[in-house]
Amino acid sequence: MVNHLVHVGHLFVRIAGISGALAVGLGAYGAHGLKNRTDKEREVFMTANRYHMLHTLALLAVPLTNQPNMVGVTMLIGMLGFCGTCYYSALSGDTSLNRFTPYGGVTLMIAWALMAL
C-alpha cells in the first residue's frame, strides 16, 4: 500500500523539492534584494513567497490523496496563477496580470477541497 502511494505521487514530491528550493531562494531575495521596491511591492512579494512555501509543503501530501494527479496538477496551476502573478507584479511593477491572481487563489481552494474527496 505505501509503495503504491509513493509510486503514484512521486512526481509531486520531486516537484515539491524543486519548488521548496525555489521558494527559499526567492524568500532570501525578497528579504535582501528588494530594497529599491515600494513597500507595497515588497508586501506582495512576501505574500507570494508565503503562499508558495505553504503550497509546496501541501504538495508533499499529494500522494496520500485519492486523486493525486488531479490534486497535484490543480495545486500547481493554482500556485502558478496566484504566486506567479504576485511575484511578477512585485518584481516588474507591471500590474497587468493582477486580474488573474484571484483565479489562481480560487484554483488553490479547489485543490484543497479535492484533497478531501
Side-chain angles (χ1 to χ4, degrees):
M1 175 74 172
V2 172
N3 283 340
H4 175 69
L5 288 174
V6 171
H7 179 70
V8 170
H10 78 280
L11 176 61
F12 295 106
V13 173
R14 290 175 187 257
I15 291 171
I18 294 166
S19 181
L22 185 60
V24 170
L26 285 167
Y29 179 74
H32 303 289
L34 295 179
K35 304 289 187 224
N36 61 339
R37 297 290 176 186
T38 66
D39 288 343
K40 180 66 174 171
E41 288 170 333
R42 283 193 298 274
E43 179 184 343
V44 168
F45 186 93
M46 295 314 284
T47 297
N49 191 248
R50 186 171 47 254
Y51 276 78
H52 183 179
M53 183 57 80
L54 173 68
H55 289 89
T56 293
L57 294 173
L59 282 174
L60 294 173
V62 165
L64 304 175
T65 65
N66 289 328
Q67 300 177 29
N69 291 330
M70 175 78 75
V71 172
V73 169
T74 305
M75 184 85 56
L76 289 171
I77 290 169
M79 289 171 70
L80 184 61
F82 182 82
C83 302
T85 57
C86 288
Y87 281 137
Y88 175 77
S89 173
L91 292 172
S92 70
D94 178 6
T95 60
S96 64
L97 296 182
N98 285 6
R99 66 180 178 263
F100 299 111
T101 305
Y103 297 112
V106 169
T107 305
L108 288 172
M109 288 187 276
I110 292 168
W112 282 101
L114 288 171
M115 286 183 131
L117 301 178

